[in-house]
Amino acid sequence: MMYELTVPERLLTWLDVERVLKRKTQLWTYLPAGVHSFDCYHDGMDIAYSSDPERVLSWLRQTFGNAFSVDSRNLNLRAGNGIYPVRLELVPASDWEHRQLPLYPLWREVAYLQEASDTNTPAFFEPPSRFSDGPRMVSFHSFKGGVGRTTALMTYVAARLQLSDPDRTLKMLVVDADLEAPGVTLWLDDANRPQVSYLQFLEAMHYPPVSVESSLDYFAQELRKASVSVGGARRELFVLPAALTLSDIQDMPVQPGHLARNPENPWILTDHLHALGKRLGVDAVLIDLRAGLSEFSSPVLFDPRVEHFFVTTVARQAVEGTAAALERLHALNSRLPPEQHSYAKPWLILSLLTDNLRKLPDYARAIERLGGAYPAPLQDQNEVANASGLEWLEADFSETYMSIGSLAQALDVLRGSTRLYERAQDWARSLDLPAEQPANLSAADGVALPKKAPALHDVCRQMQYAETADASAMLVTEPLRKIGKHFSTELPNLVSVGAKGAGKTFTFLQLCRSGVWHDFLRKVEAEPAGVPDALVYPVLWSGNLEKATKQSIVSNQAQDLKRLGCTGQPLSASTIERLVSDALKDPPAHWADFWDGLIARHFGFPSTGLEALNRQLGERGMAVVLVFDGIEEAFPEPAAVAAREAIQSLLLLPNRIDELQDRHIGAMVFVRADYVQTTIRQNVAQFLARYAPFQLQWSPEAFLRLAFWLCARAGIVDDEPGKAEFLGQEALLNKLLPLWGRKLGHDTSREAFSARWVFASLCDLKGNVQARDLVRFLRFAAEIEMDRQGSTWQDRVLAPESLRKAIPRCSVEKVEEAAKEIEPLRQWREQLKQLKEGKVVPFDAGSVGLDAQQLTILQELGIIFEDTQVPVGEPRLYLPEIYRTGLGFETSVTGRPRTQALVKSNVTLPF
């Protein structure tokens, strides 16, 4: 965009003078002290004042800079070096009473409205009263033509008229309000072309021949004659064309702006369209607005009672123009009462998208620019930095859309399983819900859902940490299921990689509690098919386990040794810790010998070779699965030479076991992903690919399964926890409605979908989410809900307020916990405590005391994300929301939309 002109550079004509004054006074609302009016004419400006004239002249000098001459009282106009006189008129203060004129919903007025700085900013205008009944009012707008606006509108029409129940009566009214380039109008055939138009509607409302009521009756009657039946008489579409002929739009005595200048009711155009829809009995009135910053569109576009859909491509021209429209709409809506902010939130459709476009920088830049143009309400920004003021939608490009030539073809082609159509179906179903009240979903056992928060809190508190989790409680995820499939015929021999909180220790303990391999296979829904029923024997485990858990491990080891006929005693955790510590101080020539020796000592064998152990197990007809966890505690500095060699040798243990003849030994090694990256210096990609099926990752669908599983255990849903493993994604989303509702608000609100918002808030900026974070989040949300005062949401356990407030608390605890185990994070956290300022996202490494090694490790862990599209030299490091608050960072005004852009461009959310 062009640089901002100074006031003197901007003044070409007297109209520029008036524009500067309108902006400075916010359309004559905030006049300087002692000034009663400014009146600008072509030959000069008159100022009525009642105070010291020097104060008025000083204000003019401050406003217009060196363009104003105090001595001559003239303004200098750049076009032809013109002189614009300023005339001061002294008037008695008692003769003037400032009367605020109504704000007309026109660009020429809203352009001068500034955004509310806080929730106490005066409204500045009187918003229209919400409709208590009748159709929903919906508009579709775009800055540029040809971006798919009309196609998007008809997608929503098709979604509503194609609802599955054939016995329902469904009616829609489409108004082609594009008075310069009609679209829907030209799709009408002769049989369905009414003998009235939108242009005539404007004229009849502005100059009613008899009365507005009789004119509305007439238009409804004419539209009924030409309605379109869609799949039967119960599904009816009415279309009000822009004009009867294209020549009509070449002479428009009455335009939408004329109706909007009604001082008694500036919102009267929407009132009339609503009344027309009500007479027709339609479910919604969809208005296809003129593109651009046009007064043909503004009376509807600025009406807060209308649901606004903005359609744009990612092209810069379309994005900049759409952002300008959103900025003005936000300035208006930010002054609405807080309870209306959600209802006024617009939808944003990124259209004509392809997979390649989503990979380009233009996609992320478009999201950043548009998100910044309409930020979230101030109260939401204070709770979560990634709160969005827009409801985002996407529409994919299809060549078939370019050749739509009729209304019937549009309804047929646009009906399908596209991404936008699926979201349009949600909107279509919401038309049947009350505008304000949430749907009342019955609880599983008749107890009010909000009262189930304590049960959810108890379940999550118990399940948050592996060592305190119920031994019989286990959700079978896809990686565990694959372990069962791969190793039902042979002993397991693998490395399972996972981030912190992904469930490594939980799976390790489930293995230990199973005791034998066959029992664990059945836990993960696999039947043994020839694999020996090997004993599960822990060799290394976390030192952070509770005392009772450690004692249980040692007790089970003693039983295993007895069954194996071994004479040795189980090695205690302290003994293992001492052996590792001594080896790090005086490293062995070959770390493989150290691990083999440690394993042999567990079983009381003097030999240090795996072959000898394997042979003796074979002679006794026995088999064991060796399991290793807690590598991170045993080797807190993996980059150190000795530690790196030790860990690498352990990770290669499955290779050595594979070389055994007639194998009676299996191994499962659980390790954090960054430890693999640090210690495997060659062919790390090949190493990870080998064990990829067993990597402990939480996909979005697994995330939903875990949430359902916890709800089932808490009695929130009337299903067995085990059902979580069989339900499809859509079924899971529906089952979770009693937990957090469909949206962060009523189902008809423009708020984000709850499941999607929670996932995006908990994941890092690459889309990775950890099971423990979801459990922790639900624990905090339930705890907040238990203490929350205010209105009760009868359709869900957790109110939107509780969900939002849980994120910062979740972040603080996560950082506290992670810093204890991740040395680079602990070091950086201590450095951050010394900083008094500068902890703002985005940031650069030097400004927050990060060295190169710390940065690399924290990036690998997903704690820091580098936006490589930002020019070198500018701040380009970001924190996911799950870490931001815990590390004491705030988010800058530009950082908020950029964070949203990074989430949308890097994270694929299927729900």
Side-chain angles (χ1 to χ4, degrees), residues 465-480:
Y465 297 102
E467 58 269 22
T468 60
D470 184 350
S472 63
M474 184 176 181
L475 173 64
V476 181
T477 59
E478 192 59 24
L480 297 181

Side-chain angles (χ1 to χ4, degrees), residues 122-136:
F124 184 76
F125 73 102
E126 185 68 30
S129 300
R130 293 274 300 278
F131 297 118
S132 59
D133 60 358
R136 293 254 289 273

Side-chain angles (χ1 to χ4, degrees), residues 548-836:
T549 304
K550 293 179 181 178
Q551 290 175 343
S552 175
I553 287 175
V554 173
S555 175
N556 290 340
Q557 284 178 318
Q559 294 179 22
D560 289 344
L561 292 175
K562 186 175 181 180
R563 292 179 62 182
L564 290 169
C566 299
T567 58
Q569 295 293 322
L571 297 180
S572 66
S574 58
T575 300
I576 298 172
E577 182 179 350
R578 178 176 52 78
L579 291 172
V580 170
S581 177
D582 291 345
L584 288 174
K585 293 175 183 177
D586 184 16
H590 301 285
W591 275 97
D593 294 339
F594 170 81
W595 293 114
D596 290 357
L598 179 64
I599 294 168
R601 287 191 62 170
H602 268 286
F603 294 97
F605 294 153
S607 172
T608 61
L610 286 176
E611 290 185 3
L613 174 60
N614 187 64
R615 184 173 56 255
Q616 292 188 48
L617 288 171
E619 291 172 355
R620 301 175 187 182
M622 306 292 286
V624 295
V625 175
L626 309 173
V627 289
F628 298 78
D629 186 40
I631 296 174
E632 297 79 18
E633 288 83 9
F635 302 96
E637 297 181 8
V641 175
R644 187 178 73 245
E645 292 175 351
I647 298 168
Q648 183 184 66
S649 177
L650 177 57
L651 296 181
L652 296 177
L653 175 63
N655 291 357
R656 301 196 295 275
I657 290 177
D658 266 341
E659 296 171 354
L660 298 174
Q661 297 291 326
D662 188 22
R663 183 162 63 91
H664 292 268
I665 300 174
M668 294 181 68
V669 182
F670 296 94
V671 64
R672 218 167 59 198
D674 59 302
Y675 271 58
V676 176
Q677 296 282 356
T678 301
T679 58
I680 303 294
R681 294 299 180 90
Q682 294 182 343
N683 301 322
V684 64
Q686 183 178 349
F687 179 89
L688 291 172
R690 174 183 176 184
Y691 300 114
F694 320 119
Q695 187 170 354
L696 295 179
Q697 286 185 320
W698 287 83
S699 66
E701 189 169 295
F703 163 87
L704 295 178
R705 295 191 192 284
L706 177 58
F708 172 88
W709 186 75
L710 293 168
C711 286
R713 293 182 61 83
I716 294 171
V717 296
D718 190 15
D719 283 297
E720 291 295 323
K723 199 172 181 179
E725 301 162 21
F726 309 107
L727 292 173
Q729 179 175 289
E730 192 63 31
L732 287 167
L733 287 169
N734 288 329
K735 290 284 188 180
L736 289 173
L737 294 180
L739 172 64
W740 48 39
R742 187 176 299 278
K743 292 183 176 183
L744 294 180
H746 304 300
D747 286 358
T748 56
S749 72
R750 255 75 52 86
E751 294 290 353
F753 285 89
S754 299
R756 185 184 182 92
W757 182 89
V758 172
F759 184 91
S761 297
L762 295 180
C763 72
D764 63 25
L765 294 176
K766 293 183 180 180
N768 301 311
V769 68
Q770 303 309 327
R772 186 181 299 167
D773 290 334
L774 176 59
V775 179
R776 189 197 326 264
F777 168 77
L778 291 177
R779 173 174 68 86
F780 275 127
E783 189 174 294
I784 294 168
E785 183 66 29
M786 290 157 60
D787 296 332
R788 189 176 65 84
Q789 303 294 321
S791 59
T792 301
W793 292 70
Q794 294 298 331
D795 69 328
R796 64 194 71 180
V797 175
L798 303 176
E801 176 187 352
S802 300
L803 296 177
R804 289 190 176 97
K805 290 184 176 180
I807 293 295
R809 293 177 62 176
C810 192
S811 175
V812 170
E813 184 170 288
K814 180 179 178 69
V815 170
E816 185 72 30
E817 171 191 296
K820 294 178 181 178
E821 301 182 18
I822 302 174
E823 180 62 24
L825 179 61
R826 180 165 61 251
Q827 294 172 353
W828 185 38
R829 188 183 180 213
E830 291 303 314
Q831 293 164 354
L832 288 174
K833 291 179 180 179
Q834 309 304 317
L835 294 180
K836 301 297 183 182

Side-chain angles (χ1 to χ4, degrees), residues 251-327:
D251 178 19
M252 291 184 283
V254 178
Q255 299 176 8
H258 292 111
L259 280 74
R261 291 189 186 91
N262 184 328
E264 300 301 323
N265 182 8
W267 318 98
I268 197 168
L269 176 55
T270 304
D271 288 345
H272 291 329
L273 290 171
H274 182 268
L276 178 61
K278 194 171 181 180
R279 278 168 168 76
L280 293 170
V282 299
D283 306 314
V285 178
L286 283 79
I287 309 165
D288 196 17
L289 294 173
R290 175 63 191 143
L293 308 182
S294 168
E295 302 295 21
F296 287 151
S297 301
S298 61
V300 172
L301 192 64
F302 293 128
D303 194 322
R305 299 170 298 180
V306 179
E307 297 180 44
H308 301 298
F309 287 79
F310 288 85
V311 185
T312 180
T313 62
V314 298
R316 181 178 179 183
Q317 310 98 305
V319 168
E320 288 298 332
T322 304
L326 287 170
E327 285 169 347

Side-chain angles (χ1 to χ4, degrees), residues 182-210:
V184 180
T185 298
L186 301 179
W187 283 349
L188 292 171
D189 55 31
D190 292 339
N192 300 117
R193 188 184 304 278
Q195 295 305 304
V196 290
S197 67
Y198 178 58
L199 182 58
Q200 292 175 320
F201 181 80
L202 295 174
E203 295 169 354
M205 295 300 103
H206 197 55
Y207 298 117
V210 178

